[in-house]
Amino acid sequence: MKIRPLHQNVKHDFPWFKHNPGWTYLDSSASALKPQCVIDEINDYYAKWSTNPHNTDSVFTYRIFARITQAREKVAKLFNGDPKEFVFTSGATESLNLIAHGLQPFIKAGDEIVLTYGEHGSNLLPWFNLCDNTKAKIIYAGAKHTLPTATAIINAVTSKTKIVSFVNISNLLGYEIDIKEVCRGVKKKNKNVIVIVDATQSVPHARLDVKNINIDFFVCSGYKMGAATGTGLAYIKSKWLNQIKPIRFGGSMNNQIHPTNFTYAALPWKFEGGTPHTAGILSWIPSIDYLNAYGWERMHKHELALKQYINQEFAKIKNLEYINPDAIYPIVLFNIKGVSAQDLAGYLGHKKIIVRAGLACAKLSHYITDVDAAVRASFYIYNDTKDVDRLVKALKNFKPGDELKHVL
């Protein structure tokens, strides 16, 4: 059945708002709220089915295996790829660990891995570990105190470069790097470079077409698109599917087991060892249907207008340090002069406004901004100008010492 937004006011499609009246949710870059259709799908699985998808021995149990196949086909259609190229994971972190682990045999001492200072920890630490194991070297694209760009990434590529891995939309600063431009420039300089994209922040806002960009891998998290927590994807280009090894060995990822060896299961189940997060995988179906029904162009226009309104209203706040006014996407990073980010986030929380303090796991971003900590407010389709107004009002009304009232 085709899913459509149920209400003209999008907030009514998300029961969180009904259960938390008076609260303003501005942390969608961490995790998006779930529409009712996603919650219904999860409840439906546990209440009516609850079978293991590896059990296909009856008509009843086969339904869930078929439903997971449908979820994979839904994902593949969204990203315009082959279903076997999409591996279900627990999130972008597991996906990047899978990719880094799988690529280790192809990396040797002295090889270079190009990253940026804007990366989330999940796109740093797996590569640090890979370098520890292989004696490869991390190279950071671009100069300090400047936003990473496609040009900077391309310029960092040399004959020693084996991997380029970058976030195309920052979860902290909201800047965008053109994937197609990076791939074209990188492959032109060195056709053997493996290009990996952390698309975790981009795919909730815009469709990604793998046939239109020459990438080898990309990762994302379903729970930032309204699917269940603990859901993610690893896109593995067909050429790599038989070349890299999985990271999870055990049930369901094997075909035959002998006393001293085994054979892999068919693709992509080779990479999905163990019983999966079945309800979470099924939640991809209604989450994608909901976003498609909402409309990607509608979303883009809404977010552009919202960001323009934020910029307009933030300009009216005294003592506000607005760090990323030029970001296209509605992710805003700010401080109030003389107030710690954690204290300011606590003050806003006391005003029933949920934000994030710190560097949101992008802990090297201080090399870009010279800011050690800030408050991040991130908006999504269910946010509107009234949410901006609540945030602005709270910031305008802030007086020194207010950050302590809720803890005294």
Side-chain angles (χ1 to χ4, degrees):
M1 184 172 68
K2 192 172 183 179
I3 294 174
R4 297 186 182 278
L6 301 178
H7 299 276
Q8 187 174 2
N9 182 347
V10 176
K11 277 184 166 65
H12 291 304
D13 291 340
F14 294 81
W16 186 92
F17 295 102
K18 175 183 175 181
H19 293 290
N20 299 282
W23 281 87
T24 299
Y25 187 77
L26 301 180
D27 196 26
S28 293
S29 287
S31 188
L33 301 179
K34 316 309 172 198
Q36 185 63 54
C37 57
V38 166
I39 297 168
D40 290 344
E41 180 76 33
I42 295 168
N43 288 340
D44 190 66
Y45 167 72
Y46 285 120
K48 298 178 182 178
W49 305 96
S50 209
T51 57
N52 192 305
H54 299 149
N55 183 351
T56 58
D57 296 332
S58 69
V59 173
F60 186 95
T61 55
Y62 182 82
R63 182 188 183 279
I64 296 304
F65 170 81
R67 188 79 169 145
I68 282 186
T69 300
Q70 181 185 352
R72 201 184 309 275
E73 291 171 347
K74 179 80 66 173
V75 164
K77 184 177 180 180
L78 178 69
F79 299 118
N80 197 24
D82 186 324
K84 73 173 181 292
E85 297 175 310
F86 294 91
V87 175
F88 288 120
T89 68
S90 64
T93 298
E94 183 187 349
S95 297
L96 284 160
N97 275 275
L98 162 62
I99 294 165
H101 170 82
L103 291 177
Q104 183 168 312
F106 301 90
I107 306 302
K108 64 182 185 303
D111 287 345
E112 294 177 351
I113 299 173
V114 174
L115 306 173
T116 80
Y117 289 117
E119 303 307 316
H120 187 283
S122 58
N123 198 30
L124 291 172
L125 302 191
W127 307 117
F128 288 3
N129 182 61
L130 178 59
C131 288
D132 285 344
N133 293 338
T134 62
K135 307 306 178 187
K137 182 181 180 182
I138 300 291
I139 302 295
Y140 289 99
K144 294 180 181 178
H145 315 301
T146 60
L147 289 176
T149 64
T151 300
I153 293 172
I154 295 165
N155 288 343
V157 171
T158 70
S159 60
K160 295 181 179 180
T161 304
K162 285 297 179 70
I163 292 171
V164 166
S165 189
F166 67 100
V167 61
N168 68 314
I169 294 179
S170 165
N171 74 314
L172 186 70
L173 295 168
Y175 62 79
E176 183 174 17
I177 296 175
D178 189 307
I179 300 174
K180 198 170 184 179
E181 182 182 351
V182 170
C183 291
R184 183 170 53 244
V186 164
K187 301 281 188 178
K188 184 176 181 180
K189 286 187 73 174
N190 184 342
K191 66 180 181 180
N192 296 317
V193 171
I194 301 164
V195 178
I196 301 153
V197 176
D198 177 358
T200 308
Q201 291 299 326
S202 63
V203 296
H205 305 279
R207 301 184 69 163
L208 188 156
D209 184 344
V210 296
K211 290 183 179 176
N212 193 39
I213 50 176
N214 190 19
I215 58 172
D216 297 278
F217 304 87
F218 89 79
V219 305
C220 67
S221 298
Y223 53 89
K224 298 181 193 295
M225 301 176 69
T229 55
T231 57
L233 285 175
Y235 164 77
I236 303 175
K237 195 171 187 175
S238 292
K239 64 177 276 189
W240 289 105
L241 287 169
N242 289 310
Q243 294 191 62
I244 66 173
K245 290 184 178 181
I247 199 170
R248 297 202 318 253
F249 291 81
S252 79
M253 52 74 63
N254 66 82
N255 183 20
Q256 294 181 332
I257 300 179
H258 307 288
T260 59
N261 58 70
F262 72 97
T263 58
Y264 287 121
L267 295 166
W269 296 283
K270 161 187 172 181
F271 298 101
E272 295 177 356
T275 296
H277 179 13
T278 306
I281 293 173
L282 298 184
S283 76
W284 279 94
I285 298 172
S287 70
I288 292 173
D289 284 344
Y290 184 88
L291 293 177
N292 284 340
Y294 180 92
W296 294 92
E297 183 62 28
R298 176 188 174 191
M299 181 190 303
H300 181 61
K301 290 179 179 178
H302 171 73
E303 293 182 340
L304 281 178
L306 202 58
K307 184 60 166 61
Q308 289 172 1
Y309 186 72
I310 293 167
N311 285 2
Q312 170 190 305
E313 296 304 304
F314 267 27
K316 302 174 183 177
I317 304 172
K318 294 180 180 179
N319 297 322
L320 186 77
E321 297 176 329
Y322 188 9
I323 298 165
N324 65 332
D326 296 328
I328 297 174
Y329 290 88
I331 301 171
V332 295
L333 194 68
F334 59 91
N335 278 317
I336 285 182
K337 294 176 183 178
V339 181
S340 79
Q342 191 66 59
D343 286 345
L344 183 57
Y347 160 78
L348 291 171
H350 186 59
K351 298 291 184 180
K352 293 190 173 183
I353 301 171
I354 297 172
V355 293
R356 181 80 176 268
L359 293 177
C361 296
K363 295 184 177 179
L364 296 185
S365 63
H366 65 90
Y367 286 111
I368 300 172
T369 62
D370 281 332
V371 174
D372 292 327
V375 175
R376 182 189 70 185
S378 49
F379 299 75
Y380 202 33
I381 56 176
Y382 37 68
N383 293 119
D384 52 33
T385 56
K386 292 180 181 178
D387 296 323
V388 178
D389 292 341
R390 292 188 191 102
L391 174 61
V392 169
K393 181 180 178 180
L395 292 172
K396 281 183 175 179
N397 290 341
F398 176 84
K399 299 182 297 295
D402 283 352
E403 72 274 19
L404 301 177
K405 288 182 180 179
H406 67 286
V407 297
L408 295 179

